[in-house]
Amino acid sequence: MISRRHIIAFWIGFACAAIAGLAFDASPAFAQTRFETTIQRPGPRPVDPDREPLRRPPATALPPGQPGDLLFPRQAPAAVPDVDADDTGNDAERDANGRLPTRPLGAPRDGDLRPALTPEQEDGRIIVGEPPAVQDGGDPSQVDQRTARERAAFDIPPAGFDPGAFAFDPGTFPTVTSPQAARRRQLFRFEPYQPLGIRMGSFLLFPELEVGMRSTNNLFNAPSGSRQSDIAGELIPSMRIVSDWNVHAVELRANGLFTFQNEFPDENERDYGIESRTRIDFTRRTNLETLSSLQVTREGRGSDDDPGANAARATITTAALAAALNHRFNRLSLQFRGSYAAIVFGEGEAANGNVITNDDRSYTVPAGGLRASWEFKPNLSIFGEAVFNQRRYNQAAQSDNILRDSFGQRWRVGVSFGTTSEILRGDVALGYALQDADAAQLRDIKGLTLDANLAWRLSPLTTMLFTANADTSETTTANTLGALTQTVGLEYRHSFRRNLIGAMRWSFTQGDFAGIALRERTLVYGLGLEYFINRNAAIIGQFDHTEFFSNEAGADYTRDEISIRLRLRR
């Protein structure tokens, strides 16, 4: 006879076994928020190697029209043997050659449990994906009347279709691209066409070229009353080459910005950048990523060290090397990374014609960091990060004869929503930044920081993107090491038609300089419209309004800019 004591003992044993099963579960978690480095080939979503591999179902495992047909196309024959063609119960009906008669696959027979009519043929049946009908008195503009195929054109393919799935972003120096942010923005943009690329053996080439015109009413970012307007032609080429391998990966990128001013040719932009990324897969859970980049740009007008409208801007060259070691322990992912960057400022020219050497502005930045993340589920993780850097200048600043060497720390804790959800992607983090000056005469730069890159798809037609970034900006302004600069932005994107997409954007930047009473604020908002002619061509129109505020007398300015470009890509 089973007593109460036996029942209690049974449930205690059952609970212990369940806890042990959870603790020693051998199936690894699929960590979406780890630093995913796989460059996926542009085909069906690959199987996660750490999961049980998917098996191709037999040809007759799924009835026609099941979702599994999208992942594994059916390979069934057009007809199957019918061992009882006349329903007499005699299963030995063969022809003169001894072969069984056949019937079409899926053909209904008496007694079959499957209905003879397909869902599309049944009267009154609602087909999933069919555009909903407008109710009497309803607003037609509030109902998506596109067909399923048209709506599918806006659906961003899974991460497995993205051939640029590098996730390593050192974050300690500018790079040509930010793959981590690009994967978030893929959900935000939801373009009707995705570039197909050009096959080159085991590589894919993605070329792109933008040609257009730009007009501004304040080319030099000067205060009201001394503004200069100009029109310029624009040429923006870019190229990406991605490997298509099962293991390891290589990616090469190059881009440029070339402008041709009408009235002020000295203000022409001649910016370009090249970047290479590699990934070496040691095991399924361990890999090493490397990055090397070179950027050449011109210093922007209106900066703290800008020599003025009548002077030549300096050229800034940034060379960087970086590496990251990634490893995943089931739900725990770790990344160890290091980098070295050299920022060199070329010669400028003052308003009186004197040459500005800018040697005191050039510096180097070795840096290293650790990032750890824990996955609760594929689209929810928490992470923590610590990064340290050492900034070394070539010589003391000419403004105050103080050497601006410093030691920096960055601490961040945040939440990640992964990169595969079709509703919310990205991460948000709070942190603390400290740049400790070696010179006692300079005050340290420090403060709380907010970093975010969140893409939210409100509906099949509308998405929003929230971005935030904080970092310390360098300057040779007298008696200050620099400023802690925080930028927040919001973008709204809506599809009016399948190939006509509008956008609104807003951003705000503030910087408070350490040790001096200098504060700067920048507000930017704009509108954009994109018309996709076909998969390879689009027309892009854009308007931006900028307002700059400073407590320094005579530094405020406003600027309006309009541009229209034709984009060609494969």
Side-chain angles (χ1 to χ4, degrees), residues 188-411:
F188 165 70
R189 293 195 60 82
F190 68 89
E191 295 182 358
Y193 305 106
Q194 296 294 327
L196 300 179
I198 302 173
R199 171 67 63 176
M200 301 173 56
S202 60
F203 289 84
L204 285 173
L205 170 65
F206 295 89
E208 185 173 310
L209 176 65
E210 292 187 12
V211 181
M213 299 290 293
R214 179 177 62 184
S215 174
T216 178
N217 63 355
N218 192 356
L219 181 63
F220 298 96
N221 291 338
S224 301
S226 57
R227 296 189 296 184
Q228 299 285 344
S229 302
D230 202 2
I231 299 177
E234 287 185 315
L235 184 65
I236 310 175
S238 64
M239 179 187 67
R240 185 162 61 101
I241 301 177
V242 186
S243 63
D244 185 16
W245 305 336
N246 293 327
V247 294
H248 313 305
V250 173
E251 181 174 356
L252 305 176
R253 291 176 180 258
N255 64 0
L257 170 62
F258 306 97
T259 63
F260 307 89
Q261 299 292 151
N262 183 40
E263 298 290 340
F264 302 94
D266 291 340
E267 294 301 304
N268 291 340
E269 303 290 350
R270 295 294 183 265
D271 302 347
Y272 64 89
I274 56 176
E275 179 180 296
S276 68
R277 293 174 179 263
T278 64
R279 194 198 70 242
I280 302 174
D281 298 320
F282 299 114
T283 68
R284 294 177 178 178
R285 296 174 178 266
T286 307
N287 61 58
L288 175 68
E289 289 184 274
T290 65
L291 178 147
S292 59
S293 68
L294 175 67
Q295 278 189 312
V296 178
T297 62
R298 298 190 70 184
E299 186 175 12
R301 288 296 184 184
S303 66
D304 303 309
D305 300 295
D306 182 11
N310 297 321
R313 294 178 293 163
T315 299
I316 306 175
T317 302
T318 303
L321 296 173
L325 179 64
N326 305 290
H327 185 73
R328 179 159 59 95
F329 305 89
N330 200 358
R331 294 183 180 272
L332 175 65
S333 299
L334 295 179
Q335 182 188 73
F336 301 90
R337 67 174 183 254
S339 63
Y340 181 86
I343 295 88
V344 179
F345 287 79
E347 292 183 350
E349 183 179 339
N352 57 9
N354 294 333
V355 175
I356 304 175
T357 62
N358 286 321
D359 290 339
D360 59 332
R361 302 177 62 188
S362 301
Y363 62 96
T364 60
V365 188
L370 169 66
R371 177 186 174 113
S373 62
W374 179 268
E375 177 194 289
F376 294 102
K377 57 182 182 179
N379 293 322
L380 180 62
S381 301
I382 59 173
F383 65 88
E385 186 178 73
V387 179
F388 306 93
N389 68 72
Q390 187 76 51
R391 297 185 178 181
R392 296 295 184 188
Y393 281 79
N394 294 343
Q395 64 183 48
Q398 300 178 16
S399 59
D400 52 15
N401 200 30
I402 299 177
L403 189 64
R404 280 166 165 71
D405 292 354
S406 62
F407 176 76
Q409 306 176 40
R410 305 289 187 275
W411 303 86

Side-chain angles (χ1 to χ4, degrees), residues 342-510:
I343 295 88
V344 179
F345 287 79
E347 292 183 350
E349 183 179 339
N352 57 9
N354 294 333
V355 175
I356 304 175
T357 62
N358 286 321
D359 290 339
D360 59 332
R361 302 177 62 188
S362 301
Y363 62 96
T364 60
V365 188
L370 169 66
R371 177 186 174 113
S373 62
W374 179 268
E375 177 194 289
F376 294 102
K377 57 182 182 179
N379 293 322
L380 180 62
S381 301
I382 59 173
F383 65 88
E385 186 178 73
V387 179
F388 306 93
N389 68 72
Q390 187 76 51
R391 297 185 178 181
R392 296 295 184 188
Y393 281 79
N394 294 343
Q395 64 183 48
Q398 300 178 16
S399 59
D400 52 15
N401 200 30
I402 299 177
L403 189 64
R404 280 166 165 71
D405 292 354
S406 62
F407 176 76
Q409 306 176 40
R410 305 289 187 275
W411 303 86
R412 295 199 311 157
V413 177
V415 179
S416 175
F417 299 97
T419 58
T420 59
S421 172
E422 294 304 316
I423 299 177
L424 183 65
R425 294 183 189 177
D427 50 55
V428 58
L430 293 174
Y432 181 79
L434 171 63
Q435 201 70 32
D436 187 4
D438 292 353
Q441 303 95 314
L442 300 178
R443 184 174 298 180
D444 300 340
I445 304 174
K446 56 185 177 181
L448 297 177
T449 62
L450 172 65
D451 294 278
N453 196 313
L454 289 174
W456 178 24
R457 194 165 188 175
L458 286 76
S459 72
L461 302 177
T462 306
T463 57
M464 295 187 68
L465 179 69
F466 172 67
T467 56
N469 177 262
D471 201 1
T472 56
S473 60
E474 303 295 319
T475 183
T476 55
T477 302
N479 302 318
T480 181
L481 179 64
L484 179 63
T485 303
Q486 177 73 65
T487 300
V488 294
L490 189 64
E491 295 184 60
Y492 175 89
R493 190 171 173 87
H494 181 76
S495 174
F496 299 103
R497 297 184 61 184
R498 180 174 182 267
N499 59 341
L500 183 63
I501 300 177
M504 295 189 299
R505 51 189 163 270
W506 168 91
S507 68
F508 177 76
T509 303
Q510 65 175 6

